[in-house]
Amino acid sequence: MPETQPSTTPRPPACPDTAPPREKLVVRSLYKIFGPHPDQALPLLASGHSKQEIFGQTGQTVGVMDANFTVHEGEIFVIMGLSGSGKSTLVRLLNRLIEPTCGEILVDGRDITRLDSADLRALRRQDFAMVFQSFALMPHMTVLDNAAFGLELAGTPKAERLQRAGDALAAVGLSAWANSYPVNLSGGMQQRVGLARALANDPSILLMDEAFSALDPLIRSEMQDEILRLQSDSRRTIIFISHDLDEAMRIGDRIAIMEGGRIVQVGTPEDILRNPADDYVASFFKGVDISRVLTAADVCRRSQLEVIDRADTGVRVAAERVRAHAYDFAVVVDRQRNFHGVVSATSLARALRDPEPRFRTALLESAPTLQAGTPIAEVLGVVAEAPFPVPVIDDAGRYLGAISRSLLLQTLDPETPIPAAEPPRPASSAGQEAH
């Protein structure tokens, strides 16, 4: 398998949310057997026979076997695998373009495998839209009419469908090309029209089957950026099929890896990178530069001493805790975990000499911090030069944890042991103490 170099553009960190993610689509024990006698294959699958053995004995082809996973509302869920792994079959099962042999597919809690033809058509109009690798644009129709084509087939009145198609073209940056024809567009622009056609239906679930595979690398990267931009503006549930690891890690909130019709592992890019389920999964990540995949938020730990910024006794309490724990530095936060700064044993002692000690006089000037989404490749120099573990802050200014040199080393080389708590650094080595 060729080595993959993930993009340096980080995925934006997910916004913190106290509510559990809502289940948009749930797949349970889903099977697809191709052939006239699928019942012959199911018992053999249950007894552990391989796809090849089943085909040899019955002539039935196993497309998907015992798929189980959940897709949360508003996430980009990537399904990836090698050619023939079953990923394209699986995505077509989700809206019943291919009929499942058995199993359940729940959309908003409703099992769509039980729907009749009329209800299934209504479901596809209201909840699903699909973007294929082929642009499938009508050459004799304008860009606007192509974007409105799905709505026309659904019987939407002309004025409404043109308005919705125009809004979708605006969302993908093609308003100026509305009256042009596909022949006048580049490949990337044609794929944007295909995306606009799907968005015009305002689906709650967007299915994308190898949608960018036919594009050259630069345009493909631009389309990935477009998906991330659209997702930041209006979070949809997107199920994205890909065979490209770089693409999956760049845009996916979670990834499902398939082999031989089975889902081998589901997890975040970090989860799978750190803990591959087997050698097959690990082979996907061979050669991946981990420093360009993980972010500061993925790596940081709350092992650094924290003190609370209180108006009255805060400085004295902080100085005592720093002394008692033999730390030279501490992170200052408030009760809501908003980050205020970093203090040292020396700066706290200096502040205590004031008649009314205040944290603001103890905070170290120009103390380095890292944003949560910073790629580890950009963290290296900051942590190497800092005299203390560098705090990591989210977009709301909340303290997430800190990254030390030893923690960073252990992240880049998992064989390196890391202590349970960060050892204190001598005050004499801290360049910030001069402040």
Side-chain angles (χ1 to χ4, degrees):
M1 181 171 300
E3 292 187 359
T4 303
Q5 295 299 327
S7 167
T8 57
T9 303
R11 285 183 295 112
C15 297
D17 191 350
T18 56
R22 179 174 175 268
E23 295 179 347
K24 181 64 181 178
L25 184 144
V26 178
V27 171
R28 296 175 181 161
S29 301
L30 188 64
Y31 289 81
K32 178 59 186 179
I33 312 297
F34 293 98
H37 305 292
D39 289 346
Q40 296 177 3
L42 291 173
L44 296 176
L45 280 173
S47 61
H49 286 69
S50 68
K51 287 179 59 173
Q52 292 75 15
E53 292 171 337
I54 291 171
F55 181 76
Q57 293 184 37
T58 69
Q60 312 302 301
T61 300
V62 179
V64 172
M65 65 174 83
D66 197 22
N68 292 273
F69 61 91
T70 297
V71 179
H72 301 139
E73 187 174 50
E75 79 170 329
I76 300 178
F77 187 87
V78 178
I79 302 173
M80 67 173 298
L82 301 178
S83 296
S85 61
K87 56 188 185 298
S88 291
T89 298
L90 177 58
V91 76
R92 285 164 172 76
L93 289 171
L94 299 183
N95 62 355
R96 283 179 59 188
L97 287 179
I98 296 176
E99 287 293 335
T101 302
C102 58
E104 296 181 329
I105 305 168
L106 280 68
V107 176
D108 293 325
R110 179 171 61 158
D111 186 359
I112 69 169
T113 65
R114 301 178 182 274
L115 298 183
D116 59 25
S117 297
D119 287 339
L120 181 59
R121 285 194 298 270
L123 175 84
R124 289 172 178 162
R125 286 197 300 267
Q126 297 166 9
D127 284 281
F128 285 101
M130 200 159 188
V131 182
F132 297 96
Q133 178 178 342
S134 171
F135 311 139
L137 302 183
M138 304 295 180
H140 63 284
M141 298 171 62
T142 66
V143 166
L144 180 62
D145 288 335
N146 267 286
F149 186 60
L151 295 173
E152 181 179 358
L153 293 178
T156 304
K158 183 175 182 179
E160 179 184 349
R161 69 175 182 256
L162 291 180
Q163 177 65 47
R164 288 168 60 178
D167 292 343
L169 287 174
V172 299
L174 287 180
S175 292
W177 299 84
N179 295 318
S180 300
Y181 288 86
V183 69
N184 303 125
L185 306 183
S186 67
M189 295 169 75
Q190 290 184 43
Q191 189 60 290
R192 286 173 190 259
V193 178
L195 180 57
R197 182 172 54 201
L199 296 176
N201 290 332
D202 193 25
S204 63
I205 300 175
L206 186 60
L207 305 176
M208 305 186 71
D209 186 12
E210 301 275 12
F212 306 151
S213 295
L215 304 176
D216 66 56
L218 179 59
I219 297 176
R220 185 172 187 168
S221 179
E222 291 175 352
M223 288 302 298
Q224 293 165 6
D225 288 339
E226 188 71 15
I227 286 293
L228 293 173
R229 183 188 65 78
L230 290 170
Q231 195 71 344
S232 67
D233 293 340
S234 176
R235 293 188 66 81
R236 296 179 185 274
T237 303
I238 300 176
I239 300 175
F240 195 102
I241 305 301
S242 179
H243 66 268
D244 186 282
L245 179 61
D246 177 26
E247 186 169 67
M249 291 194 298
R250 187 179 185 202
I251 69 173
D253 295 307
R254 288 187 301 142
I255 300 172
I257 296 182
M258 294 192 70
E259 179 192 20
R262 300 180 301 115
I263 293 182
V264 182
Q265 187 171 4
V266 177
T268 66
E270 180 198 1
D271 291 339
I272 300 177
L273 181 60
R274 288 177 176 272
N275 301 294
D278 58 20
D279 290 341
Y280 174 79
V281 176
S283 69
F284 272 94
F285 292 87
K286 184 178 181 180
V288 169
D289 183 354
I290 192 172
S291 71
R292 299 189 179 277
V293 178
L294 302 181
T295 65
D298 295 327
V299 174
C300 67
R301 290 185 183 177
R302 287 180 56 187
S303 57
Q304 183 67 7
L305 182 65
E306 300 171 26
V307 294
I308 303 297
D309 188 347
R310 295 185 177 88
D312 44 13
T313 62
V315 174
R316 290 186 174 85
V317 171
E320 175 58 27
R321 292 195 65 209
V322 168
R323 185 197 64 77
H325 288 82
Y327 271 81
D328 285 307
F329 298 95
V331 174
V332 182
V333 296
D334 61 22
R335 291 181 176 86
Q336 287 72 46
R337 301 202 54 72
N338 295 306
F339 176 76
H340 287 198
V342 177
V343 294
S344 69
T346 302
S347 69
L348 287 168
R350 184 169 58 242
L352 284 173
R353 292 197 289 269
D354 295 337
E356 294 184 4
R358 291 291 184 268
F359 267 113
R360 65 175 178 270
T361 63
L363 296 177
L364 301 180
E365 296 178 9
S366 304
T369 60
L370 293 163
Q371 289 300 117
T374 305
I376 294 302
E378 299 174 19
V379 167
L380 296 171
V382 178
V383 173
E385 295 178 4
F388 47 78
V390 180
V392 177
I393 315 301
D394 69 12
D395 291 340
R398 286 185 289 268
Y399 173 67
L400 301 179
I403 302 177
S404 68
R405 296 170 190 168
S406 59
L407 178 57
L408 190 56
L409 178 61
Q410 196 271 342
T411 298
L412 298 175
D413 182 5
E415 300 300 319
T416 301
I418 184 169
E422 298 298 327
R425 298 186 186 176
S428 60
S429 67
Q432 298 272 1
E433 294 292 12
H435 300 291

